[in-house]
């Protein structure tokens, strides 16, 4: 039965493979000053990440690896806290950054452009900084909904007359997570959280479909499967101008939440120096205005405003008053409840 | 010396298969109040969560039923009757086995979705304003399952039918038995073991399915999607409890079905004569059968053709129109020329190769022990390698996270490791089959004639089991290449696989690019599948 010796050999070979796989990963990390690469966990679209990454590589020679984790970003960063694999968290609402700061997931770092920002857009202890302002806005297909039938405010979306007309993103979208919780917070502040959940249920009843993908949702609105939805303002403008969708925004009476998309260095990052360099780079006026012009992302850095697209200075809409710090504490609990008890509840019961 | 490889094997399987599962079990009892059943109480007491649990079971049983009916019907249609285009039909019917589920979901959305090519075509032909059906929810998921999973029934029942003894059927008919009688008393007992074993696979994939419920499920909540949401909401303990519930369902079904399978199986007399197909003389029936055959071929080929067709859609041109108008090679050029777009492709191939090598490295010794020895470790090994078979993909992913949260989570290796774990049973099966065909006498003769055991292995044993090894390698490679569920939980910046790149391209208004990735995966899997087929014919 010496045959088994051969099997042992095979096994050792296989294990060897996996060890080589690991070793290769770590070898790259051990250079001084700016490390060879930097790993970015993000909520931003890949075409935008690619531009920032390519520019950063050109300027520093540091290789950038990135992934768009969308609504799962916070969980990933938190889950890897004991053994961080990423260096920078790029994107995600300030509420998420506040929550993760409390979980001690970040390393404080003050980029040079940080001092120019309004205090609204940064952490007082330098744990995170905002690089993009992202309004989340209600919009409609102008060929389907007549102006007189438009909802005046978010609360109108629970009205029966919008049954089957709404199409939203599900809770794996980071902007949708902010939207649903921000709406609930409006009710909670009035001391009427129960009323808020009732409204969420009514709105859910009117919702034709929840989409896992922003493009499929926009496609559905473009093809008139549904007519009213919400999305980030840059997404709406992109689809209106690049894809020629007949859509317009609705200026809700209680306003639209404006997310501050943040950036932070992750604590115990494997490539700390490159991480700091990336933060310095991604928030610079040069990159902020590039993203403003190419991707309609509104800058937080006042220096970047000057050469931003005209609409950013002209467009006026009411801003929803959101208490981001309070939201940070409630987000997970509320979204879990929304997923299990609110979303699709009525439709399931009917079946 | 004999002990060392065995211990290595047990260690590898114990660390990567058993330990993570036990960790998940432990995590599922962690709550804010210490160790308790609170997570399970929440799962079974919250109405929304209870609905997801019920839906999961309901979906599992409906999938078995639907696929059972379709697969059995097709098996009889092709292998019992004298149908036109028999060979082509049989080949095409096997196609869905190698097409990744995620790709099918996307193809179905583009075909049968509310604005799908087929939906809109029917609408405009009949002149309706409303779609005549709604694709999505339970019906949509079932349609995808039917397409991807009838194959288990089809394959197993086809084999059983080929072994049917026609003379017995003729005899009983001559003795005056009705067709129904013949079916119930002769044919059904023959195919029953095939039906039961197919239902196991179908039930497992049915309750563990993630791509379909996640992308087209809409309001239909199932456990697999709730697991991802609980995880995104940072309720890892709840996700663990959901995984345990899901795995328990799978294991229970496996146990019950195995029990009935043993009862139903019997050894039939060996029969050398080839089965004659039942001829159909009625021209109307003949015409209907030809029509059905063509319709089936179209239904199965259409999604695959759609993927290839849409991969040529010019980027950014297809948001409002129903039919795409502008075509180009741009999507392929982007993948092949831009290193960032090519990376997912390279990553997936690298990880699939690694998973396949690791799975075979474990499968060769394990299968040997299982097929050729009666050692005490045999039952333990058997349990360990078959455990992943009873765990849905999302369960395996969550297990890996719980098992290696402070060591490997977020590193490159965790995802290929998880592919390896999920595919080990398949590799073991493939290799075990070769060992069972291998007669002990060959090896003994070789040793008696003075060859060393090393020589015996490489000159005698290896060539004989090689087809099984190659088939196992290719199968694991193919199944890992387009894998989506495990990838969605475990991918990281350094190993973003092709399935995730596909989904992200869909998210970012790049349907053509997503389909081009899909078409490339299809091309590779088809090449792999035809290699497997050749290897199998080599064995026979």
């Amino acid at each position: 039965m010496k045959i088994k010796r051969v099997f042992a050999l095979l096994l050792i070979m296989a294990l060897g493979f996996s060890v080589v796989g690991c070793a290769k990963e770590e070898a790259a990390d051990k250079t001084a000053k700016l490390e060879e690469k930097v790993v970015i966990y993000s909520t931003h679209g890949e075409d935008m990440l690619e531009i920032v990454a390519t520019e950063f590589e050109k300027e520093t020679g540091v290789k950038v690896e990135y992934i768009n984790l969308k609504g799962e970003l916070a969980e990933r960063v938190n889950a890897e806290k004991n053994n961080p694999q990423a260096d920078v968290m790029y994107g995600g609402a300030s509420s998420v950054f506040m929550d993760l700061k409390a979980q001690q997931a970040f390393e404080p770092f003050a980029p040079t452009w940080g001092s120019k920002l309004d205090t609204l857009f940064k952490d007082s202890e330098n744990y995170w900084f905002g690089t993009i302002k992202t309004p989340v806005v209600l919009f409609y297909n102008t060929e389907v909904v007549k102006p007189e039938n438009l909802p005046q405010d978010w609360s109108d979306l629970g009205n029966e007359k919008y049954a089957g007309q709404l199409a939203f993103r599900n809770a794996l979208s980071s902007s949708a997570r902010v939207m649903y919780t921000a709406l609930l917070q409006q009710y909670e502040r009035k001391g009427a959280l129960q009323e808020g959940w009732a409204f969420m249920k009514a709105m859910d009843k009117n919702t034709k479909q929840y989409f896992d993908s922003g493009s499929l949702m926009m496609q559905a609105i473009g093809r008139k499967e549904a007519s009213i939805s919400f999305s980030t303002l840059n997404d709406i403008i992109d689809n209106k101008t690049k894809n020629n969708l007949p859509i317009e925004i609705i200026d809700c009476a209680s306003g639209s939440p404006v997310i501050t998309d943040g950036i932070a260095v992750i604590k115990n990052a494997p490539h700390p120096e490159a991480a700091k360099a990336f933060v310095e780079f991604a928030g610079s006026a040069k990159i902020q205005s590039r993203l403003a012009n190419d991707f309609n992302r509104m800058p937080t850095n006042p220096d970047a405003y000057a050469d931003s697209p005209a609409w950013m200075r002209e467009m006026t809409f009411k801003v929803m008053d959101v208490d981001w710090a309070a939201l940070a504490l409630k987000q997970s609990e509320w979204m879990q409840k929304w997923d299990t008890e609110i979303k699709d509840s009525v439709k399931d019961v009917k079946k | 010396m004999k002990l060392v490889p065995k211990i290595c094997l047990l260690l590898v399987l114990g660390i990567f298969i058993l330990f993570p599962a036990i960790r998940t079990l432990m995590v599922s009892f962690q709550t804010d109040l210490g160790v308790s059943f609170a997570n399970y109480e929440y799962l079974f007491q919250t109405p929304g969560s209870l609905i997801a649990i019920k839906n999961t079971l309901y979906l599992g049983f409906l999938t078995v039923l639907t696929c059972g009916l379709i697969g059995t019907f097709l098996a009889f249609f092709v292998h019992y009757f004298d149908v036109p285009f028999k060979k082509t039909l049989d080949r095409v019917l096997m196609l869905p086995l190698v097409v990744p589920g995620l790709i099918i979901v996307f193809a179905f959305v583009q075909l049968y979705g509310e604005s799908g090519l087929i939906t809109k075509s029917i609408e405009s032909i009949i002149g309706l304003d409303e779609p005549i059906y709604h694709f999505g929810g339970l019906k949509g998921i079932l349609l995808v399952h039917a397409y991807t999973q009838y194959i288990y029934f089809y394959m197993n029942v086809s084999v059983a039918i080929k072994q049917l003894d026609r003379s017995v059927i003729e005899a009983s008919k001559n003795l005056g038995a009705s067709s129904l009688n013949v079916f119930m008393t002769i044919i059904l007992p023959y195919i029953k073991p095939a039906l039961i074993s197919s239902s196991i696979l179908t039930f497992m994939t049915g309750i563990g399915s993630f791509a379909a419920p996640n992308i087209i499920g809409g309001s239909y909540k199932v456990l697999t999607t709730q697991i991802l949401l609980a995880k995104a909401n940072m309720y890892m303990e709840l996700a663990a409890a959901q995984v345990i519930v899901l795995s328990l369902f799978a294991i229970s079904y496996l146990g019950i079905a195995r029990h009935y399978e043993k009862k139903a199986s019997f050894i039939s007399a060996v029969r050398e004569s080839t089965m004659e197909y039942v001829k159909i003389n009625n021209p109307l029936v003949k015409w209907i059968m030809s029509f059905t055959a063509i319709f089936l071929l179209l239904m199965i080929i259409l999604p695959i053709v759609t993927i290839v067709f849409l991969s040529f859609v010019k980027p950014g041109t297809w948001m409002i129109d129903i039919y795409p108008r502008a075509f180009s090679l741009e999507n392929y050029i982007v993948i092949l020329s831009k290193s960032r777009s090519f990376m997912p492709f390279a990553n997936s191939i690298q990880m699939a190769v690694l998973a396949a090598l690791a799975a075979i490295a474990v499968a060769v010794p394990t299968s040997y022990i299982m097929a050729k020895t009666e050692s005490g470790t045999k039952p333990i090994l058997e349990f360990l390698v078959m455990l992943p078979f009873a765990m849905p993909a999302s369960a395996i992913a969550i297990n890996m996270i719980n098992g290696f949260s402070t060591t490997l989570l977020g590193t490159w290796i965790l995802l290929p490791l998880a592919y390896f774990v999920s595919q080990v049973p398949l590799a073991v099966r493939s290799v075990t089959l070769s060992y069972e065909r291998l007669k002990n006498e060959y090896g003994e003769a070789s040793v008696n004639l003075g060859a060393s055991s090393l020589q015996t292995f490489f000159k005698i044993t290896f060539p004989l089991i090689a087809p099984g090894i190659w088939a196992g390698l290719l199968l694991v490679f193919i199944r890992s290449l387009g894998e989506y569920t495990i990838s969605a939980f475990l991918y990281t910046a350094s190993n973003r696989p092709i399935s995730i790149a596909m989904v992200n391209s869909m998210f970012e208004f790049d349907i053509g690019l997503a389909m081009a990735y899909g078409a490339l995966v299809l091309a590779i899997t088809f090449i792999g599948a035809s290699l497997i087929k050749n290897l199998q014919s080599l064995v026979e």
Side-chain angles (χ1 to χ4, degrees), chain B residues 124-414:
Chain B
S124 62
I125 291 168
I126 311 183
L128 295 169
D129 297 328
E130 292 269 304
I132 52 168
Y133 51 81
H134 172 67
F135 177 73
L138 179 61
K139 276 179 288 178
I141 303 173
L142 266 182
L143 189 66
V144 172
H145 285 187
Y147 182 94
T148 47
Q149 287 161 46
Y150 74 82
I151 193 107
Y152 302 130
F153 279 94
Y154 176 75
M155 284 191 323
N156 292 333
V157 176
S158 296
V159 171
I161 291 174
K162 282 180 192 159
Q163 289 165 354
L164 261 181
D165 199 336
R166 289 277 294 142
S167 54
V168 178
I169 297 173
E170 284 306 315
S172 56
K173 271 197 176 155
N174 292 339
L175 290 170
S178 68
S179 296
L180 185 72
N181 237 323
V182 169
F183 184 79
M184 296 303 284
T185 56
I186 299 172
I187 299 179
L188 199 60
Y190 243 98
I191 62 169
K192 209 169 165 188
L195 288 180
I196 295 173
S197 65
S198 328
S199 84
I200 298 176
L201 265 173
T202 316
F203 185 79
M204 304 277 194
T205 20
I207 62 168
S209 153
F210 174 73
N214 191 34
I215 293 167
I216 54 169
S219 61
Y220 199 76
K221 279 182 209 177
V222 290
L223 273 174
T224 48
T225 50
Q226 297 306 109
I227 291 171
L228 187 69
L229 291 168
K231 182 176 163 276
N233 293 332
M234 298 202 216
Y235 287 89
M236 205 55 203
E237 297 82 17
L238 197 61
Q242 286 165 330
V243 160
I244 296 295
V245 170
L246 190 62
S247 304
L248 280 182
F249 287 157
I251 293 169
S252 312
Y253 191 91
L254 181 70
I256 296 169
R258 276 278 155 84
H259 175 72
Y260 281 103
E261 196 182 14
K262 269 185 197 147
K263 266 190 171 174
S265 70
F266 60 91
I267 297 161
S268 58
V270 181
R271 190 184 45 83
E272 293 295 328
S273 67
T274 46
M275 156 110 179
E276 259 178 62
Y277 301 114
V278 176
K279 282 227 161 57
I280 286 159
N281 298 319
N282 184 332
L284 181 68
V285 177
K286 223 173 181 172
W287 190 83
I288 291 175
M289 288 195 93
S290 305
F291 180 79
T292 316
I294 293 171
F295 178 73
L296 284 171
L297 285 179
L298 280 179
M299 278 295 283
I300 289 175
I301 293 179
L302 198 58
I304 294 167
V305 174
T306 307
I307 300 279
V308 178
F309 170 68
L310 292 182
S311 70
F312 294 104
V313 168
K314 209 170 168 203
T317 60
W318 191 41
M319 284 299 280
I320 313 174
D321 299 335
I322 298 304
Y323 304 106
R325 288 191 194 140
F327 296 95
S328 76
L329 280 173
E330 223 170 295
N331 298 313
Y332 289 96
I333 296 171
V334 165
I335 293 179
L336 296 176
S337 66
K338 273 171 69 180
S339 67
R340 282 195 195 279
S341 308
F342 184 72
M343 271 317 279
F345 197 62
N347 287 339
S348 277
I349 289 183
Q350 215 178 341
M351 288 189 289
V353 167
L354 190 67
L357 287 177
I360 286 299
V362 165
V364 170
T366 308
S367 307
Y368 175 80
I369 294 170
M370 279 166 63
K372 295 287 176 200
T373 67
E374 284 303 331
S375 79
T377 38
K378 189 178 153 179
I380 307 173
L381 269 179
E382 203 161 1
F383 168 76
L384 285 177
V385 288
M386 284 304 153
L387 189 61
F389 176 67
M391 293 191 297
S394 31
I396 290 177
I398 294 286
N399 289 349
M400 295 309 263
I401 294 174
N402 286 325
F404 304 106
S405 60
T406 52
T407 45
L408 297 177
L409 186 64
T411 60
W412 186 88
I413 195 71
L414 196 60

Side-chain angles (χ1 to χ4, degrees), chain A residues 1-8 10-11 14-15 17-18 21-22 24-25 37 39-41 44-47 50 53-54 57 64-72 74-76 78-80 82-83 85 99-100 170-172 177 208-210 212-216 218-219 222-223 225 235 239 242-246 332-333 335-336 339-341 343-345 347-349 351, chain B residues 1-2 5-6 8-9 12 16 42 46 48-49 51 55 109-110 114-116 120 137-138 214-215 218-221 226 228-236 238 316 318-322 338 340 350 354 357-358 361-362 364-365 368-369 373 405-413 435 453-454 457-458 461 484 488-494 496 504 506-509 511:
Chain A
M1 288 298 114
K2 279 182 199 163
I3 276 177
K4 274 172 200 156
R5 234 182 263 163
V6 181
F7 296 147
L10 272 174
L11 196 72
L15 286 175
F17 269 117
S18 44
C22 298
K24 211 175 76 190
E25 284 305 293
K37 70 169 182 180
V39 179
I40 314 292
Y41 283 2
H44 295 311
E46 273 163 31
D47 41 356
E50 191 180 332
T54 316
E57 282 174 4
V64 183
E65 280 180 1
Y66 54 79
I67 41 172
N68 173 9
L69 287 159
K70 298 187 280 287
E72 291 174 75
E75 190 274 334
R76 257 313 168 96
N78 194 42
E80 290 175 11
N82 296 323
N83 182 25
Q85 300 297 318
D99 188 18
L100 285 172
N170 67 17
L172 292 179
R177 294 174 78 84
K208 187 167 182 181
Q209 204 178 340
Y210 292 98
D212 207 33
S213 139
S215 72
L216 291 182
M218 280 295 181
Q219 205 184 38
R223 291 169 177 178
E225 291 173 22
D235 197 19
N239 276 287
K242 290 184 196 157
N243 295 323
N244 300 315
L245 292 196
S332 284
E333 182 194 331
M335 284 317 291
Q336 183 64 25
D339 272 327
T340 28
E341 295 171 43
K343 186 187 163 210
D344 308 316
S345 54
K347 285 168 222 163
D348 282 342
V349 172
K351 247 179 232 158
Chain B
M1 241 346 259
K2 244 172 104 178
K6 255 187 210 168
C8 283
L9 205 57
V12 168
F16 295 122
Y42 174 87
T46 317
S49 158
I51 287 172
N55 280 352
V109 170
Q110 298 302 332
E114 189 167 339
S115 301
K120 283 289 171 188
L138 179 61
N214 191 34
I215 293 167
S219 61
Y220 199 76
K221 279 182 209 177
Q226 297 306 109
L228 187 69
L229 291 168
K231 182 176 163 276
N233 293 332
M234 298 202 216
Y235 287 89
M236 205 55 203
L238 197 61
W318 191 41
M319 284 299 280
I320 313 174
D321 299 335
I322 298 304
K338 273 171 69 180
R340 282 195 195 279
Q350 215 178 341
L354 190 67
L357 287 177
V362 165
V364 170
Y368 175 80
I369 294 170
T373 67
S405 60
T406 52
T407 45
L408 297 177
L409 186 64
T411 60
W412 186 88
I413 195 71
Y435 271 123
S453 59
L454 210 66
F457 180 79
F458 282 108
T461 316
Y484 172 58
F489 283 93
L490 298 179
Y491 82 97
T492 177
S494 60
R496 209 169 67 105
N504 280 0
M506 289 292 287
F507 286 0
E508 303 199 355
F509 313 100
I511 292 161

